[in-house]
Amino acid sequence: MTVYGTRPEAIKVAPVIRALEASDALDSVTVVTGQHREMLDQVNEIFGITPDHDLDIFEHGATLSLIVARVLERLDPVLEAEKPAALVVQGDTSTSTAAAVAAFHRGIPVVHLEAGLRSGDISTPFPEEANRRLTSQLAALHLAPTATSKANLLRETISPDQVVITGNTVIDALLTAVERKPSFTDPELESLADAGGRVVLVTTHRRENWGDTMKGIGRAIGRLADRFPDIAVVLPIHRNPLVRAALLPYIEGRSNVTVTEPLGYGEFTRLLALASVVLTDSGGVQEEAPSLGKPVLVMRENTERPEAVEAGTVRLIGTDENRIVEEVATLLTDSTAHRAMAHATNPYGDGHGAMRSVAAITHLLDLGPRPADWGTEGQS
Ligand code: UDP
């Protein structure tokens, strides 16, 4: 059984669900919690997944505790009815940790996809760093995306027998999506693509950036658009009303800023492929953009994804308004600085993460051999 509730989880579990469906040894049952609503449905649609159960917990303005409480309450009867042999959760959302607790209470082994990421600071990202650490305590099988994440788990005294390095399944999803090259539903984006000018792609939604920090991000975007009238800034804006209220007043009314509703995954990856510079506080985007050779400036103080920072395609720039403006300006005006960051690197996966994940789950259930760690069978 796979349980997921938000857009980033859906993107990363979709390839695993498809691989489970193709497996001879295992059957697949999917449960969505609906922690995000439209953004989740968008992803299910693109990967052709129809959930077997929908806990439908979404409520505007729900607190984290309410989300956790609802998942626990509504998942438990589904676990009782379906009696899964194992339960797969992904990453670090409230959905994933609550589902892991519910499974643990029923003695169902928890499989943690994208295990072992650590920022080192329990309060950022919030609440994700705490969620991922809690899930690590409950999991019977840890599917670590990279050698770094495996090392983090071993440092926390998790047994190496319980950890398999799979590569991040976001790369499986990305490779599937970019191949499709969908048209943009927003005609403004289609014209931007035709015009072939420089695009700065911005995404921001992190909870710890809400409020004044996000207003500063909004002001930085506005200043950049005014300073570089020849560039197009594109912001697919998160559904959260707090994010919208903080950003929109500072960026609206400019002809070179396009604010869109959240894009379907295929359209988003096409936009990513078009971008000259990516400015983000997203986790998933930090993993995808390096694959496409895009420089990424991350508006956070730390990251649980150090691999692309080490490879030189991602830079942590924090959230200070002036610093954001200067860092983006440098990449727009200094071609040597841009070139130094714009090289394709794949530290997060090779597109076969889902296959390795399903092999590891099959092994957990004594139905097949243990797969080799990604990287030990030839990292690409
Ligand atoms: N994404 C998308 N449409 C958008 C913006 C992002 O499909 O308009 C995808 C993006 O490719 C990445 C994921 O959503 O895979 C990231 O989600 P988000 O930033 O919400 O969460 P995080 O990764 O930070 O947990």
Side-chain angles (χ1 to χ4, degrees):
M1 177 182 286
T2 310
V3 182
Y4 57 109
T6 65
R7 174 178 64 194
E9 287 168 271
I11 290 166
K12 291 171 176 180
V13 299
V16 177
I17 293 171
R18 301 309 299 267
L20 283 169
E21 285 169 352
S23 156
D24 292 332
L26 305 171
D27 288 330
S28 168
V29 178
T30 51
V31 180
V32 291
T33 65
Q35 181 177 337
H36 287 171
R37 193 66 274 179
E38 297 97 332
M39 298 201 302
L40 175 70
D41 298 342
Q42 252 180 1
V43 183
N44 280 330
E45 208 179 293
I46 186 173
F47 287 98
I49 294 168
T50 310
D52 298 300
H53 300 270
D54 188 341
L55 307 184
D56 201 20
I57 67 157
F58 181 80
E59 185 183 310
H60 279 290
T63 61
L64 292 173
S65 293
L66 188 67
I67 293 169
V68 169
R70 289 243 167 102
V71 172
L72 280 170
E73 188 186 21
R74 296 188 190 179
L75 181 58
D76 193 53
V78 178
L79 295 177
E80 188 175 23
E82 294 279 5
K83 299 192 175 31
L87 180 124
V88 181
V89 294
Q90 197 285 331
D92 50 25
T93 63
S94 300
T95 280
S96 59
T97 302
V101 171
F104 184 76
H105 285 164
R106 285 199 172 266
I108 298 163
V110 173
V111 177
H112 190 197
L113 184 64
E114 198 185 61
L117 276 62
R118 296 290 182 268
S119 74
D121 176 355
I122 191 90
S123 55
T124 65
F126 178 87
E128 288 89 349
E129 177 77 358
N131 282 340
R132 52 172 86 106
R133 291 195 208 180
L134 291 166
T135 303
S136 293
Q137 296 304 306
L138 301 172
L141 172 63
H142 309 257
L143 302 175
T146 66
T148 307
S149 42
K150 177 175 177 176
N152 289 338
L153 292 166
L154 299 191
R155 227 183 350 265
E156 292 171 13
T157 71
I158 285 164
S159 159
D161 296 348
Q162 293 178 294
V163 185
V164 176
I165 306 177
T166 55
N168 200 312
T169 55
V170 77
I171 305 299
D172 304 32
L174 177 71
L175 298 181
T176 309
V178 288
E179 244 173 48
R180 292 189 192 155
K181 298 195 183 67
S183 339
F184 290 115
T185 10
D186 183 340
E188 221 177 303
L189 293 183
E190 205 56 66
S191 334
L192 279 182
D194 288 344
R198 289 189 302 170
V199 171
V200 175
L201 171 60
V202 185
T203 79
T204 177
H205 71 92
R206 288 252 88 81
R207 190 174 280 263
E208 66 272 17
N209 288 345
W210 291 358
D212 287 344
T213 305
M214 202 156 281
K215 288 181 187 165
I217 293 173
R219 282 194 297 272
I221 300 169
R223 282 169 56 188
L224 281 162
D226 294 343
R227 181 154 150 196
F228 297 96
D230 61 311
I231 61 155
V233 177
V234 182
L235 172 71
I237 198 161
H238 204 267
R239 290 247 183 253
N240 193 304
L242 293 173
V243 171
R244 292 178 176 224
L247 291 174
L248 289 176
Y250 300 102
I251 55 181
E252 274 172 336
R254 289 175 174 81
S255 59
N256 62 339
V257 178
T258 305
V259 178
T260 70
E261 289 302 313
L263 297 174
Y265 186 58
E267 291 189 44
F268 185 79
T269 57
R270 185 173 162 212
L271 190 59
L272 201 55
L274 284 176
S276 297
V277 174
V278 180
L279 178 66
T280 189
D281 62 9
S282 160
V285 176
Q286 282 177 62
E287 294 157 342
E288 292 159 339
S291 264
L292 302 176
K294 303 298 170 178
V296 188
L297 299 174
V298 175
M299 298 179 285
R300 286 180 45 184
E301 306 300 335
N302 59 30
T303 181
E304 58 288 297
R305 295 168 168 90
E307 294 86 348
V309 177
E310 280 151 23
T313 55
V314 168
R315 179 174 302 146
L316 281 180
I317 61 166
T319 51
D320 175 71
E321 177 187 334
N322 292 329
R323 171 119 194 250
I324 294 170
V325 173
E326 289 320 313
E327 292 279 357
V328 177
T330 301
L331 290 183
L332 291 173
T333 52
D334 179 345
S335 56
T336 312
H338 188 273
R339 237 186 343 266
M341 288 184 77
H343 52 89
T345 169
N346 257 346
Y348 296 111
D350 63 349
H352 300 292
M355 186 197 70
R356 284 188 204 95
S357 301
V358 171
I361 299 166
T362 308
H363 176 64
L364 173 76
L365 300 174
D366 286 331
L367 296 169
R370 184 187 155 93
D373 279 342
W374 173 51
T376 59
E377 12 81 304
Q379 188 164 330
S380 59

